[in-house]
Amino acid sequence: MATMQPGPIAYFEGRYVPIQEAKISIMTHAFNYGTGLFEGIRGYYSQEEDNILIFRLKEHVDRLVRNFNILCMEIPEKAEDIENICIEVVRRSGFREGVYIRPICYKSELSLGPKVRGVESSLCCYVIKLGDYVDTQSGLDVAVSSWRRLSDNAIPTRAKATGSYINSALAATEAKQAGFDEAVFLREDGTVAEGSAMNIFIVMNGKLITTPPNSDILVGITRNTVLQLAREELGLETIERPIARTELYICDEVFFCGTGAQVAPVRSIDRRVIGNGQPGPISKRLQSLYFDVVMGKVPKYRHWCTPVYKH
Ligand code: PMP
């Protein structure tokens, strides 16, 4: 008898199915109009525990469910069900390595017309293996994008909406085509927003500064984690305020953070070297703490880690 290879299992139309069976129609509302909300959640494989620890699952699901109201979404699954589905797709897929879990709530009706109310929504969820999304060690070379960050009043950046990633894709592609690793978005008012799919921090005279929640950003769970770790573990002063483009050039350190990016130091912006061109000391300390926390090694934050397998 052939043994089944562990392979990705998806949640689709209320059932767990092999991912290749999870298919939507080309007439799906979300496919036509970008009317989906999603999350990206990491699971870290801990060798010592032989388990996958999902990082801040509750907070990701909470953000998703709160955002339902923006797109008038109603689905039968409650927050607790969505958490269980995220755990279950990983468990059924049998992975024993780093994973990325993607629940998507989308307008699943086959109907015409861009509207949000009165269009049926559904939940699906899949999992893939994922290592580093960007280089976290040597420092990234970054450019300010010619694309502006979309405004929360145009396509809500606060919601992690599928359609809004056209904005991210344009900026990331422009940066990569010009030989950079990543982009920094400015807002329409010229102040800094965030990276293509990550929040941004600067360090200035020992203080940690990031853009505020009402500055056309996705309010990242990693951002909130970094703010808390900086305050509680490193005793740093943290400030949420608008950041000017030129502050990026003159500050001591810059780093990105996000579920995919993790904590990723930046070594240059628009070909201006930041600090001495190496990841700075505060970025490095926060990064190392972050990696310990996500691997379940810091008891105080252990409740942020949800184990997948029951031994
Ligand atoms: N901003 C954008 C535009 C993103 O796509 C992401 C990744 N989800 C982030 C910020 C970081 O958010 P989080 O830390 O919750 O992953």
Side-chain angles (χ1 to χ4, degrees):
M1 198 173 73
T3 31
M4 291 267 281
Q5 291 298 315
I9 296 294
Y11 177 83
F12 183 63
E13 298 182 336
R15 295 188 309 125
Y16 294 96
V17 296
I19 197 157
Q20 59 274 20
E21 288 175 25
K23 290 188 182 144
I24 58 162
S25 160
I26 57 169
M27 291 170 72
T28 305
H29 194 277
F31 177 65
N32 285 260
Y33 302 113
T35 46
L37 294 174
F38 68 105
E39 278 301 321
I41 311 170
R42 268 192 194 262
Y44 287 87
Y45 180 66
S46 159
Q47 203 124 34
E48 290 114 78
E49 300 181 36
D50 185 26
N51 215 328
I52 290 180
L53 304 173
I54 304 179
F55 189 59
R56 304 205 77 174
L57 175 60
K58 254 192 190 338
E59 289 80 359
H60 280 281
V61 171
D62 182 66
R63 178 169 69 188
L64 179 68
V65 169
R66 283 178 190 279
N67 285 333
F68 284 176
N69 220 17
I70 299 179
L71 290 196
C72 305
M73 280 180 163
E74 283 174 35
I75 55 165
E77 294 90 346
K78 304 279 167 250
E80 204 190 320
D81 303 321
I82 303 173
E83 284 174 33
N84 287 331
I85 288 162
C86 289
I87 298 169
E88 201 53 23
V89 289
V90 182
R91 199 185 66 76
R92 289 181 185 237
S93 298
F95 286 127
R96 278 188 153 67
E97 56 208 301
V99 295
Y100 185 79
I101 309 158
R102 163 119 335 149
I104 312 172
C105 188
Y106 64 106
K107 299 282 177 188
S108 51
E109 216 174 272
L110 312 187
S111 66
L112 206 65
K115 55 181 185 167
V116 288
R117 201 177 287 286
V119 187
E120 203 172 273
S121 303
S122 306
L123 177 75
C124 64
C125 184
Y126 67 85
V127 57
I128 56 165
K129 300 180 213 173
L130 190 69
D132 276 353
Y133 174 76
V134 294
D135 180 356
T136 55
Q137 296 312 308
S138 37
L140 301 173
D141 296 315
V142 166
V144 169
S145 184
S146 74
W147 296 97
R148 285 293 182 263
R149 181 64 176 144
L150 48 81
S151 151
D152 193 56
N153 284 318
I155 297 179
T157 52
R158 182 177 308 286
K160 204 170 158 51
T162 56
S164 71
Y165 280 77
I166 290 176
N167 190 219
S168 298
L170 289 170
T173 302
E174 179 189 63
K176 280 176 192 143
Q177 281 182 340
F180 296 94
D181 299 310
E182 199 21 80
V184 178
F185 272 126
L186 304 182
R187 305 168 64 203
E188 288 295 353
D189 73 359
T191 61
V192 172
E194 57 182 335
S196 70
M198 52 204 77
N199 294 117
I200 192 164
F201 278 82
I202 65 173
V203 178
M204 190 74 164
N205 297 322
K207 293 179 184 144
L208 197 58
I209 306 167
T210 194
T211 52
N214 62 350
S215 59
D216 301 328
I217 61 169
L218 178 75
V219 185
I221 287 156
T222 321
R223 169 193 183 277
N224 298 346
T225 302
V226 165
L227 283 170
Q228 188 172 344
L229 294 177
R231 278 194 294 259
E232 293 184 12
E233 306 310 313
L234 305 188
L236 294 179
E237 187 181 336
T238 60
I239 305 166
E240 295 170 61
R241 63 152 175 86
I243 297 175
R245 172 187 190 155
T246 47
E247 287 184 280
L248 299 177
Y249 300 159
I250 62 153
C251 64
D252 302 317
E253 300 181 34
V254 180
F255 65 87
F256 283 125
C257 72
T259 298
Q262 306 178 106
V263 175
V266 171
R267 67 178 178 200
S268 76
I269 300 204
D270 293 339
R271 304 288 183 215
R272 272 88 166 169
V273 172
I274 310 299
N276 63 3
Q278 304 286 327
I282 291 180
S283 310
K284 283 208 300 210
R285 280 167 71 200
L286 279 166
Q287 184 189 60
S288 132
L289 187 56
Y290 182 77
F291 283 136
D292 284 347
V293 168
V294 297
M295 293 301 286
K297 292 181 189 159
V298 184
K300 182 173 165 193
Y301 301 106
R302 179 68 199 198
H303 61 284
W304 285 346
C305 305
T306 305
V308 166
Y309 301 111
K310 296 182 184 69
H311 294 304

